Amino acid sequence: MKAINLSELFGQKIFRIPDYQRGYSWEHKQLSELWDDIQEIPFKETEFRPHYTGTIYVEASEPLDSEKWLSGTTFFSVVDGQQRLTTISILLYELLKRSGAGYCNEESTDLKKAYLYKPNLTGESKIYRFSYSPSDRNQSYLLNKIFEDDNVIFDQSHYNLYSKNLAYAKNFFAEKIGQIEHSEREILFRKITTALRFDFREIEKDLDVQAVFETMNNRGKSLSTLEKLKNRLMHLCEKLPSPTEDRKNLRERINQSWGVMYGWLARNPENILDEDEFLSAHLSLLRTPKEAVFSEKLAEEKLFEMFCNRPEQYENEIGSKEEKVTFEKIQSYIQSLSSFAPKWYDVHNSKIKQLNKILLLNRGKEIRIFLTQLMSHSLTVSQLIELLNKLEAIFFRNRIQGIGVIDERTFASWARELFRAEYTISEILERMDNLLAIPVPTANMVQFFNGLYNYERGTKGFHRWGNLKYFLFEYEDYLKKIFAETNDKVTLEDFESTTIEHIIPQHFIENWHEKVNEVSISLKTEHIHHGVKVMLNTLGNLTILKNGKNSSLGNRSWEQKRHRFQTGSYNEIQIARYEVWNRNSICNRGEEMLRFLVSKIPGLALQSVDIDTILYSDQKTKAAIKDGLKLVEEVILE
């Protein structure tokens, strides 16, 4: 078949993206590649050399009632090639927008009619040569924001990842075209409309278009499992022995369900949720995998066993055969899947502080699935907060080696039990209480913190504790209450931009020699190096600083640091209240911080413990270091 150029492709044709296709997914890489390809098309004798741009697979379709006024035109659904056609249409729009009088001796108005839309006699109605189906949420954004048609109303709540990608493509080409002269734009127009060549193929009517689509991938990005699954369900829908109207309604429900899911997963353009992870998370509720949850790969395999032509050839998780594909099976699945989407979104975009704290401690899929089930129950705010606080307490305890109470992958099983109504929220709450009531083997806690000082390489002491940053944020909240303040100085939103820093620097210079010598002078020679490292990396000498603040302070004197700390976080303000910063200051602050840490561990046994072994060093060097780093002989852990 002869490849045709864009003028011939658009000719007397109207293209629509059918309902089983995803939205626009091209990003900078694909846009740049297309732009560079066009720029490099050479001129040969009297024309530009043809440049093959790919195959466009289409299926003939019927115009809507509102489109039947347009005669002599054939309507097509794009089965494969929508990403390229979308991109070229956006490029053409931006090029014609800046065409002035026109290109190639044709007026701008005529060019727009040839490549963008067909207007009726009054000009009030337009049929775009390329667009989505009218029911698609992306349609109004494409026409209103990309093609700048003010007659089309856009609902801002429909803005999603695909909208963001469309806007990026528009801005990308607008910037490129804005940098070149009119003569260069005319050359660009000629290249696009005459040199780009397409292999145009119409799918035969006796072929199953869904089956054809399932074998294809759009250029640049492969289809996600979620996209392939939608097509598979539609394919199976057509094979059901149900009345035509039932199959049509089910197909529409599939479309609606995927519209709901795509809307929620892409609702926050700054935090796009992975489609395949979402799919595997939901499947982990429906089925019991061999591991705690399904991986994305295993979820894809399992779903296409559940929804294939003969699913009964496969076993489910309890050893029985998979059920045959029926109207009810598809209906039940899509309802469950689409109702899971807003819960999944809420977990990843929550304003609930307690929930976000949990995700800082553990972002595993198991925990996020469990949170969806907690939030899906009709709980009051106080009940939900109570549950989340208990969950946080369990996780915090688990972060101290030797006193953990549960394998956190178990929460996937708890989630399934809630989802299947095998357990109630009250029973889950009772489980949490039982975990928190498990006595704490205090010696294990001491051994864990003690062991942080025994690494020969890298940072020593509390700086090695993986949960230290989270703990310092918790201590920040504690200090806010102690200071009777209401405003936050540092919030969880600052977590990634906040670093853990030493008050007396690890690599200290003259400003701090005197303070360090207060420790080293009382130690035996063989203990000096270790003793200094202990002081620098103990809990009291560590704090959180926001936005790289420490880089500007570095090795500056205590007076300079103290002045800056006075207007910082509550951690900094507490530190700045000390007149001097030395071993005693570090010991005093460290003791208060450790008491707070102990208060966060329900079930901690009451007993006397030498806190020096937790805060400072191991038993071997403790006696030598105690003289220089005196804290307390004993403290009641309560």
Side-chain angles (χ1 to χ4, degrees), residues 271-285:
N271 182 26
I272 303 301
L273 302 181
D274 184 88
E275 295 176 4
D276 294 342
E277 185 184 48
F278 159 76
L279 203 57
S280 65
H282 176 259
L283 184 63
S284 298
L285 293 171

Side-chain angles (χ1 to χ4, degrees), residues 59-84:
E59 176 192 24
S61 62
E62 294 297 321
L64 301 173
D65 289 340
S66 60
E67 298 173 327
K68 289 182 177 178
W69 58 264
L70 184 60
S71 60
T73 301
T74 306
F75 286 73
F76 292 101
S77 292
V78 180
V79 178
D80 186 55
Q82 71 125 325
Q83 303 292 335
R84 278 163 285 152

